[in-house]
Amino acid sequence: MPASIKGTLLLDENHPSLKKAANIINRGGLVAFPTETVYGLGAAATDPEAVNRIYEAKGRPADNPLIVHVSDPAQLKTVARDLPEKAFKLTERFWPGPLSLVLPRAEGLPALVSAGLPSVAVRMPDHRTALELIRLSGVPIAAPSANRSGKPSPTTYRHVLEDLTGRIEAVIKSAPCSVGVESTVLDLTGETPLILRPGGVSREELEETLGCRVAVAGLKSFPGKPLSPGMKYRHYSPRAALILVAGHPEKRFALVKALAYRYRSLGLKVGYLNPSIRDDLKQKVDPERLAATLYELMRRMDQQEIDIILAEEIEITGIGLAVMNRLKKAATRTLRVGSGKLQRKS
Ligand code: AMP
Ligand code: MG
């Protein structure tokens, strides 16, 4: 008998266990499973009641759409329609991988999957267990991140248990997620491809593959008002106040030290997010490493009841764009060295 806590089964990654997980999915249940980005909370995308349970278990607002996971590029046609040439170029290069494509939703797919939008986000994860689970289920699997809404995304099965024990049927135990931040969400329904959420595949890689400019929602270079329902929510946030220090690297470092001193003298517990400041070394941050450990660090600091998390900005190239996006969303304040101005995040 597999272990179970408060009704939530802990399953291994072997074939019989994954068959059990697939049966749960087919009966309308919820299974948290590993992917290369973060752990997903899966239900049969074809079953509106099961999809509704995802929103309930997470406490997720009903207007925040999910991502549909497929096990094969050919399965894309069952969930999306009117596929543009760009979609084929991208799936060929980046699937399996951390790229979700927003496309017109297929008629047969429940509207609830994409919170009633005419579009749907689809991806093929680069993880053996995830792919086998989808294959064994025989249906595409709708899955947002397997955390309670508002908490940092889960990158280990323990994070999933912290948030969802007793609320879902099963969790598949696997190694920590290798990428550590969510997939890039790329909207292909407009004239110009638009990154709604930066993630594991970089803007540079997308532009190189498509041979055209790719816009990023929220950056000044994008003129219009983008619509991504998920973007208005304050995700990715630790309980502690996170202060993001931006500006000239050396001045930044001095300010972080001064802030730590000031807060500690007020009796507050201070934690450093970037390894460079934690180790008191002015080494270059490794953005991949920071991405892979970001949510684990946030959760651990919450457990340690840290009051103030100090984080330094990093360059927004490659995965750095995704890391900075998450840091900005998590930040209660951004402090820019030079101006000395304290900007409260709205
Ligand atoms: P999660 O898997 O929890 O990271 O959430 C999925 C995210 O993908 C949502 O918060 C949205 O920002 C984005 N998304 C999913 N489907 C769509 C869609 N049809 N249109 C725009 N954004 C989407
Ligand atoms: Mg999420």
Side-chain angles (χ1 to χ4, degrees):
M1 269 298 278
S4 147
I5 318 170
K6 293 186 190 160
T8 298
L9 282 178
L10 268 166
L11 297 173
D12 291 316
E13 290 175 290
N14 57 39
H15 188 74
S17 295
L18 294 183
K19 279 215 93 142
K20 195 168 280 179
N23 281 335
I24 294 172
I25 295 279
N26 289 138
R27 289 200 310 262
L30 303 183
V31 176
F33 61 96
T35 80
E36 80 281 28
T37 57
V38 301
Y39 273 73
L41 179 58
T46 47
D47 178 346
E49 276 176 37
V51 171
N52 190 43
R53 288 197 53 217
I54 294 181
Y55 287 91
E56 286 175 2
K58 282 182 60 90
R60 185 175 177 100
D63 61 351
N64 194 0
L66 314 177
I67 294 172
V68 177
H69 293 68
V70 295
S71 57
D72 191 287
Q75 206 176 11
L76 175 58
K77 292 194 199 82
T78 68
V79 292
R81 61 185 165 80
D82 305 331
L83 307 181
E85 191 50 40
K86 288 188 178 79
F88 294 105
K89 274 193 189 164
L90 293 169
T91 58
E92 197 166 303
R93 163 88 196 272
F94 296 108
W95 281 13
L99 177 66
S100 300
L101 298 177
V102 174
L103 295 159
R105 175 160 48 84
E107 275 179 20
L109 202 71
L112 198 58
V113 165
S114 45
L117 292 173
S119 59
V120 63
V122 193
R123 88 173 187 105
M124 177 181 173
D126 188 13
H127 197 292
R128 255 182 37 206
T129 299
L131 294 174
E132 194 176 345
L133 176 66
I134 304 164
R135 250 179 245 127
L136 290 170
S137 312
V139 285
I141 292 185
S145 51
N147 53 318
R148 287 296 290 265
S149 220
K151 294 270 283 286
S153 291
T155 52
T156 70
Y157 76 87
R158 286 177 204 283
H159 297 163
V160 179
L161 290 174
E162 277 166 27
D163 283 14
L164 296 173
T165 298
R167 304 181 71 89
I168 62 176
E169 276 73 20
V171 179
I172 301 172
K173 273 165 65 179
S174 184
C177 304
S178 57
V179 176
V181 289
E182 300 84 347
S183 61
T184 302
V185 177
L186 183 71
D187 188 347
L188 289 180
T189 63
E191 188 94 328
T192 307
L194 172 64
I195 295 178
L196 297 175
R197 175 178 76 185
V201 171
S202 71
R203 177 191 200 174
E204 295 86 338
E205 290 173 300
L206 293 171
E207 288 186 331
E208 188 198 299
T209 303
L210 292 173
C212 71
R213 194 178 75 90
V214 170
V216 183
L219 283 193
K220 286 197 189 76
S221 56
F222 178 69
K225 265 220 154 184
L227 177 85
S228 173
M231 286 162 56
K232 68 172 186 256
Y233 296 107
R234 186 176 178 259
H235 298 110
Y236 323 119
S237 39
R239 188 196 52 77
L242 189 146
I243 299 179
L244 183 58
V245 178
H248 188 276
E250 277 184 25
K251 287 189 184 156
R252 232 162 48 200
F253 188 71
L255 180 61
V256 164
K257 288 220 289 204
L259 284 172
Y261 181 80
R262 191 204 296 168
Y263 286 122
R264 284 200 178 110
S265 68
L266 292 170
L268 296 171
K269 255 180 120 170
V270 177
Y272 300 124
L273 197 79
N274 315 48
S276 58
I277 40 181
R278 202 174 49 239
D279 302 341
D280 205 9
L281 295 171
K282 283 185 208 160
Q283 70 197 20
K284 249 186 131 69
V285 258
D286 173 355
E288 261 85 26
R289 221 187 97 72
L290 185 57
T293 52
L294 187 65
Y295 293 138
E296 162 68 17
L297 284 168
M298 286 183 182
R299 281 179 180 255
R300 206 190 302 147
M301 289 196 212
D302 275 350
Q303 277 164 0
Q304 292 167 354
E305 301 192 332
I306 279 173
D307 303 295
I308 309 277
I309 300 176
L310 296 173
E312 267 192 280
E313 87 170 334
I314 65 167
E315 257 191 70
I316 56 165
T317 50
I319 195 123
L321 183 67
V323 172
M324 278 305 291
N325 169 273
R326 307 308 187 267
L327 287 180
K328 281 187 195 157
K329 285 195 178 216
T332 31
R333 292 176 193 170
T334 298
L335 196 59
R336 186 161 287 284
V337 198
S339 74
K341 237 169 65 190
L342 210 58
Q343 304 160 340
R344 248 186 196 288
K345 221 194 109 191
S346 57

